[in-house]
């Protein structure tokens, strides 16, 4: 059964001496707003890591496959969805497309979560996903750095080489300096990024996004960087609890209250304003999330909305109060 409540959520990502999201059009430099020098991480970069985690943690579970995989052609998965649904490969009528969409949602976690364009080959239309994530933006300006590094080996293609022996002979005849080369590394010393997300109960009803999918999403967000360490992202992590706003409605009539829970009881931007993170006055250059004050105005949460905190991927959400030992403080 699909979820029946609207949600918003937010969390904070820390990057230490790394590249949180490189821009290939700018030499892979960390992405930033050129007007105010604040850094950002794109929505697709965050979704990629959620997909990677789900693919790792739920690899063998039915319905938890990922359609947007690295170095693959998604048309084969669209074709699989049509075949499984018993729809002719070339069928493009409305009923066939709808059946194919429903089957794709059943098979692939990321389709029923984020949606997908499934009209790229064997046409299955487009699916609007209930979960959307905005660009994460740094709380303070960032300073992208570009440094030189020495690479102690090279990847030169030896002309006429047909075996490993040919490469070995070429290496023996070369001086050691010519077998080294220089490289570049782009990074920032520090950045703390705020990320926001939205979950529509109405769209969840279309894709079948249910409570178990919601739990897997929250688990993936808190754990996504723990399984994504690399040379450029060695010290990236979600450092805050996941802050969740759940719309539950206010009406005494059950039917009307359920309607309110789906549609929401407060604009999302008003809920996000209840959470603030600000650099401490004593800190000039932040280098850790402890250099910030995180505050939540729990008493100002509007009627019909619950605020929850999840600080462990496998824990339970704490509703309407801060969890023990949290970095968040109540206003």
């Amino acid at each position: 059964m699909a979820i029946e409540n609207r949600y918003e959520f937010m969390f904070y990502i820390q990057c230490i001496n790394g590249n949180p999201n490189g821009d290939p059009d700018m030499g892979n430099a960390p992405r930033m707003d050129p007007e105010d020098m604040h850094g950002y991480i794109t929505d697709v970069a965050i979704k990629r890591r959620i997909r990677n985690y789900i693919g790792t943690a739920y690899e063998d579970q039915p319905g938890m496959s990922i359609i947007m995989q690295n170095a693959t052609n998604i048309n084969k998965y669209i074709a699989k969805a049509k075949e499984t649904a018993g729809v002719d490969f070339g069928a493009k009528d409305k009923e066939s497309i709808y059946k194919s969409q429903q089957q794709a949602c059943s098979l692939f976690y990321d389709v029923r979560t984020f949606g997908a364009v499934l009209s790229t080959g064997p046409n299955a239309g487009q699916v609007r996903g209930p979960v959307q994530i905005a660009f994460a933006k740094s709380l303070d300006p960032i300073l992208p750095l570009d440094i030189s590094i020495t690479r102690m080996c090279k990847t030169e293609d030896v002309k006429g080489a047909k075996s490993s022996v040919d490469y070995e002979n070429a290496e023996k005849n070369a001086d050691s300096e010519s077998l080294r080369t220089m490289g570049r590394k782009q990074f920032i010393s520090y950045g703390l990024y705020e990320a926001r997300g939205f979950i529509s109960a109405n769209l969840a009803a279309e894709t079948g996004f249910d409570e178990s999918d919601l739990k897997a999403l929250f688990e993936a967000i808190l754990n996504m960087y723990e399984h994504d360490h690399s040379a450029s992202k060695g010290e990236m992590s979600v450092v805050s609890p996941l802050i969740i706003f759940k719309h539950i409605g206010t009406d005494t009539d059950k039917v009307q209250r359920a309607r309110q829970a789906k549609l929401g009881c407060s604009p999302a931007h008003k809920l996000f304003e209840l959470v603030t993170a600000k650099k401490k006055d004593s800190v000039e250059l932040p280098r850790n999330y402890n250099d910030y004050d995180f505050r939540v105005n729990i008493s100002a949460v509007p009627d019909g909305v619950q605020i929850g905190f999840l600080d462990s991927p496998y824990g339970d959400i704490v509703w309407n109060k801060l969890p023990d030992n949290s970095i968040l403080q109540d206003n």
Side-chain angles (χ1 to χ4, degrees), residues 152-154 156 158 164-176 178-179:
M152 301 305 294
C153 52
K154 64 189 305 182
E156 181 182 13
V158 176
S164 61
V165 175
D166 294 329
Y167 285 102
E168 186 174 345
N169 290 334
E171 181 181 304
K172 288 179 180 178
N173 294 327
D175 63 87
S176 59
S178 69
L179 294 174

Side-chain angles (χ1 to χ4, degrees), residues 3-175:
I3 61 170
E4 297 182 334
N5 302 80
R6 196 186 101 188
Y7 291 86
E8 282 82 37
F9 59 88
M10 58 191 301
F11 54 96
Y12 291 88
I13 303 169
Q14 175 175 267
C15 178
I16 302 175
N17 294 329
N19 188 345
N21 186 200
D23 185 347
D25 290 330
M26 298 293 289
N28 206 43
R31 298 181 189 270
M32 69 177 185
D33 184 336
E35 293 185 322
D36 63 9
M37 303 297 287
H38 284 70
Y40 62 89
I41 303 172
T42 63
D43 57 330
V44 292
I46 297 173
K47 289 178 182 178
R48 177 71 270 158
R49 276 146 193 87
I50 293 173
R51 286 183 168 102
N52 289 347
Y53 178 83
I54 294 295
T56 298
Y58 295 88
E59 182 179 11
D60 300 324
Q61 296 192 23
M64 298 301 284
S65 297
I66 299 297
I67 196 170
M68 301 293 181
Q69 299 185 32
N70 182 46
T72 190
N73 186 340
I74 69 168
N75 286 339
K76 68 179 181 181
Y77 299 119
I78 300 173
K80 178 182 178 181
K82 298 192 78 166
E83 291 165 0
T84 308
V87 174
D88 183 75
F89 184 85
K92 297 181 180 180
D93 61 280
K94 187 177 294 186
E95 182 180 354
S96 296
I97 288 177
Y98 180 74
K99 286 183 178 179
S100 302
Q101 289 175 349
Q102 293 301 298
Q103 190 62 50
C105 289
S106 177
L107 291 172
F108 303 107
Y109 176 85
D110 54 340
V111 175
R112 65 177 178 273
T113 302
F114 303 128
V117 176
L118 305 176
S119 56
T120 54
N123 194 348
Q126 298 184 25
V127 177
R128 286 189 64 194
V131 179
Q132 298 303 325
I133 298 174
F135 282 20
K137 189 171 184 178
S138 68
L139 301 185
D140 292 294
I142 62 169
L143 178 61
L145 300 173
D146 183 4
I147 60 173
S148 298
I149 56 175
T150 301
R151 189 178 185 186
M152 301 305 294
C153 52
K154 64 189 305 182
T155 57
E156 181 182 13
D157 190 20
V158 176
K159 187 176 181 180
K162 296 181 179 180
S163 68
S164 61
V165 175
D166 294 329
Y167 285 102
E168 186 174 345
N169 290 334
E171 181 181 304
K172 288 179 180 178
N173 294 327
D175 63 87

